[in-house]
Amino acid sequence: MQVIVTGGAGFLGARLIQTLLEEGQRIEGETITRVTSIDLAPCPLDDPRVESWVGDVADKALIERAMGDDTLAVCHLAAVVSSQAEADFELGMRVNLEATQALLDACRAHPRRLRFLFASSLAVFGPGLEQPVPEVVGPQPRSSYGAQKAIGELLVNDYSRRGFIDGRVCRLPTIVARPGKPNQAASSFASSIIREPLAGQRAVCPVDPDLPLWLSSPRAMVGNLRHALQLDGDALGEWRTLNLPGITVTVTQLLDALERQAGAETRALVDFEPDAAIDKIVASWPGGLDIERPLSLGFQADADVDTVIHAYREDYLNT
Amino acid sequence: MQVIVTGGAGFLGARLIQTLLEEGQRIEGETITRVTSIDLAPCPLDDPRVESWVGDVADKALIERAMGDDTLAVCHLAAVVSSQAEADFELGMRVNLEATQALLDACRAHPRRLRFLFASSLAVFGPGLEQPVPEVVGPQPRSSYGAQKAIGELLVNDYSRRGFIDGRVCRLPTIVARPGKPNQAASSFASSIIREPLAGQRAVCPVDPDLPLWLSSPRAMVGNLRHALQLDGDALGEWRTLNLPGITVTVTQLLDALERQAGAETRALVDFEPDAAIDKIVASWPGGLDIERPLSLGFQADADVDTVIHAYREDYLNT
C-alpha cells in the first residue's frame, strides 16, 4: 500500500519518505510498501520502493494518475516558502492554496477515506500574542504564506469533519538546522547561522539577537510527522490542527550552543546585518506555543538547544 | 460615485443600499450617488440610483462589467447560508469561497484601492469557548459555511495587508428578526419565533430554550455595516476582522420579551421540536463575543432584547 508525499524532493519530504519506509511502518493496520513523491524536482532517494513523479502539484491530471487504488494517505508538504510567496503573490496562491484544494478534491474522489497530513506553519500566527500561545488563539497572519497555510488548515478541517478525508494539520516550528543551501523561507537564516559556521563559512543573521524562535530539529519533526500520520484520528478529536512541539530559543542562545560545541571562532563567523523585510515577517511569529495537548498525544520536542545542534552534526556532518 | 453590493436583493443588502443612499453619505470624501446590486434576484428597491444586475456573483465577466471607474467600494454580502452550504458542499464552495476570490481579484485589478466590506459570521467559531469569546480566539468552525467565511476573512485581510484593497471584515451576529419567510440559515428559527407569532402564525423552535444566542436587530446591524464601510482604515489597524456588536439572549429571554410586548397567547404559538442537525450547528456558535474594541471604534449594540423586538415591529409591522 502506498503513501503520496508532495514535496518529496525537499529535504524534509525525503526524510519523511525514508522514515515511512522503515521496516514495519503501518497505517490503519496496512503496511506501507511504497511511496510516491510529487515534486518539481526528482526525489533524491535511491530506493526501488520510491516512485518519483516530477511535475506541478497543482496539476489535477497528474495528481489523479498518481492516486492509485492502493493509496492509504497523502502527506502534503509541497509549498512556496514565506519570502517567495510574499514576493510572488500569484505563485503562492497557486501552489499553497489551489494545489491544496486540488489534492483535497482528489482525495475526496478516492473510494477510501484517506489520511491527509497537511504541513502548516507557525507563520499562521500574528504578532503581540500571549506566549506560549494558547491553542484557541487563531491565525492573524502577517504574510501571504501564513494566510495560505491558515486557509489550508480550515479546508483540511472541513473536509475532515465532512468525512471526505481523515485530516491532520501540523503547524511546523522553524527547522534548525536544515542541510543544504539557504532557501527563500524568511526563517532560512536560522539554519544558516548554524550550518555555514560549522562548514567554516560566514553567515548573516538578519534579525535581532534577542528574538525568540520556536524551533525543532529535523529529527524530532520527522518523528512527529510520522506520528501524526499514524495516530488514530479519534484521538485527535473534532479539530484536527496541532501545534507541533518545538522549543523556545533566542538567536543568542542558539549561538551560545554553537559556541559550546564548536568554539568561539566558529560563532564569530556569524555577522549581524538587520534586514527589515525578513525581520518584519519573522518577528510576527510567536516564539512559543502551548503544546500540552500534542505532548499528551505522544508528540515529542527536542530536549534542548544543544540536542538540536548535536542532531544536525550527527545527521549531516557525521561528527 | 458608486458602491457595489452583492446580495443586494436580500433583505439586509437592500436595507444597506437604502442606508448608503441617504443624503450626504460619503466614503473617503466622495459622495455615494448610486449603488449597483449584484444578486441572483433583482433588487426590490424602486430607486433610479439603484442599478440591479441579475446574475451569479461568481461570474467574473459580470463582476468586471459592473466594476466601473467610479467604484468606491464593494460590500460583499451574497452567500449561501449555513444549512444550505452544509447540504450542498459544491454550491457553498463556489458562492462563499470562489465568488469571494473573484471579487477580490476584480478589486485588485481596479486602479483605485477599493474599500471591501466582507460579511462574515459568528459561525466561524467552534464550541467550548470561554464566553464572551476574546478577540484573539480563532475560527474552529463546525460547518462548511463557517469554514468558507473564515477563509474569506483570511483572504480579505491578506489582500488588505498587501494594499490590493482596504478591507473590513464584519462578523455578523444572528439577525432577529428578519422579515419575510424562513430561509436555509440554521439560525432562521430565531427570526421565525418572533415574526410568525406576531403575524398570528405558529412557529417551531428546534433548539434548547436555554441556548444563548448572539443577536442583533437589522437596524443596529445595518448601522454598523455602514459605519464599517465609512470608518477610516487606519483606525482598524493591521487586522481587519471585527466582531460586530450583538447582545446575548437565550431563546427563553427572547420569548419572554415577545410575551411582554404581544401577550401570552402570542408566545404560546411557539412549539419546541428539537432538530439535531440544526441544534448541532447553532449550539456550536458562541452566545457572546468580546466587543470592547468595536464599541471603542463607534460600533453600537442594541440596548436590550425588548429594543430588538420593538425595532422589528416598528420597521416591518408599523406598530
Side-chain angles (χ1 to χ4, degrees), chain A:
Chain A
M1 301 290 281
Q2 80 154 336
V3 172
I4 292 173
V5 176
T6 74
F11 111 91
L12 190 65
R15 264 194 87 148
L16 180 62
I17 292 172
Q18 277 183 313
T19 306
L20 292 176
L21 287 171
E22 281 171 10
E23 202 177 324
Q25 296 304 317
R26 294 167 166 270
I27 290 174
E28 296 181 81
E30 306 266 15
T31 304
I32 303 170
T33 52
R34 67 187 188 97
V35 175
T36 298
S37 162
I38 304 179
D39 200 306
L40 286 175
C43 176
L45 298 174
D46 183 21
D47 184 322
R49 297 167 299 172
V50 179
E51 209 170 309
S52 180
W53 292 52
V54 175
D56 186 343
V57 72
D59 176 347
K60 289 182 191 178
L62 179 81
I63 294 169
E64 263 172 44
R65 285 200 307 279
M67 189 98 60
D69 287 345
D70 67 335
T71 303
L72 286 170
V74 173
C75 301
H76 180 32
L77 308 185
V80 168
V81 293
S82 46
S83 287
Q84 198 181 2
E86 203 59 22
D88 189 339
F89 182 69
E90 283 75 15
L91 181 66
M93 288 296 278
R94 197 169 64 77
V95 175
N96 295 344
L97 178 49
E98 285 170 39
T100 302
Q101 288 183 283
L103 273 170
L104 286 169
D105 285 331
C107 289
R108 184 183 171 200
H110 196 275
R112 188 180 185 112
R113 190 166 70 106
L114 299 177
R115 294 203 177 177
F116 191 95
L117 176 68
F118 179 62
S120 184
S121 165
L122 83 162
V124 300
F125 291 107
L129 298 172
E130 175 192 347
Q131 313 259 337
V133 180
E135 260 210 338
V136 295
V137 165
Q140 299 194 353
R142 295 301 194 276
S143 63
S144 293
Y145 173 77
Q148 290 146 9
K149 286 293 186 186
I151 292 170
E153 292 186 353
L154 286 159
L155 290 170
V156 171
N157 271 286
D158 199 47
Y159 275 65
S160 201
R161 187 187 61 80
R162 295 192 77 118
F164 301 157
I165 57 167
D166 180 358
R168 294 102 206 278
V169 174
C170 293
R171 287 176 178 154
L172 272 50
T174 295
I175 298 184
V176 173
R178 181 186 291 273
K181 296 189 175 171
N183 67 9
Q184 289 190 64
S187 58
S188 183
F189 75 89
S191 286
S192 291
I193 62 174
I194 300 303
R195 183 184 58 226
E196 270 69 292
L198 283 174
Q201 292 161 8
R202 301 207 74 83
V204 168
C205 179
V207 302
D208 192 286
D210 292 331
L211 186 75
L213 305 172
W214 176 244
L215 57 82
S216 168
S217 68
R219 196 188 276 187
M221 191 181 285
V222 167
N224 284 330
L225 289 174
R226 181 172 75 180
H227 184 59
L229 192 64
Q230 294 184 322
L231 199 65
D232 186 68
D234 292 339
L236 292 168
E238 273 198 306
W239 193 249
R240 296 307 186 84
T241 301
L242 289 162
N243 296 333
L244 227 56
I247 56 173
T248 300
V249 179
T250 65
V251 170
T252 298
Q253 289 170 331
L254 192 55
L255 295 178
D256 288 348
L258 176 67
E259 184 171 340
R260 278 195 292 277
Q261 291 188 38
E265 66 284 5
T266 303
R267 180 194 191 139
L269 292 168
V270 178
D271 302 309
F272 283 85
E273 294 176 13
D275 179 318
I278 289 178
D279 188 73
K280 191 172 180 197
I281 292 180
V282 179
S284 77
W285 302 344
L289 305 177
D290 175 10
I291 52 170
E292 196 185 315
R293 189 168 77 103
L295 291 179
S296 77
L297 288 167
F299 292 88
Q300 294 183 331
D302 295 289
D304 52 34
V305 63
D306 291 286
T307 309
V308 168
I309 295 180
H310 186 72
Y312 175 74
R313 297 173 64 206
E314 201 170 70
D315 289 359
Y316 297 104
L317 305 178
N318 299 311
T319 56

